Amino acid sequence: MQIDLPAQISVDETDFCLVLSNLLENALEASLKTAKFRQRIDIKIYRHASNLICFY
């Protein structure tokens, strides 16, 4: 996991945790449907202007 965020973000912490939790759950479910050697989850979260960008 690679995260590049400031100490304070303009997103509600609860909402951010829910989105991140949903992202991880979806990634885990998808990885379980692939071959064992491809089961890997990489997450990158960074700031672009005033927006948060998440990739997995």
Side-chain angles (χ1 to χ4, degrees):
M1 183 178 285
Q2 180 180 353
I3 301 176
D4 178 20
L5 297 176
Q8 296 291 324
I9 58 175
S10 61
V11 177
D12 179 70
E13 288 179 18
T14 303
D15 290 342
F16 183 73
C17 288
L18 287 171
V19 169
L20 187 57
S21 173
N22 192 344
L23 176 77
L24 287 169
E25 184 178 354
N26 291 345
L28 179 61
E29 288 177 11
S31 73
L32 293 175
K33 295 177 182 177
T34 67
K36 280 275 190 204
F37 71 94
R38 297 187 71 199
Q39 290 181 349
R40 177 182 168 140
I41 299 171
D42 292 318
I43 298 173
K44 295 180 183 175
I45 302 172
Y46 64 93
R47 196 171 40 147
H48 177 70
S50 61
N51 300 310
L52 293 178
I53 311 293
C54 299
F55 290 103
Y56 74 94

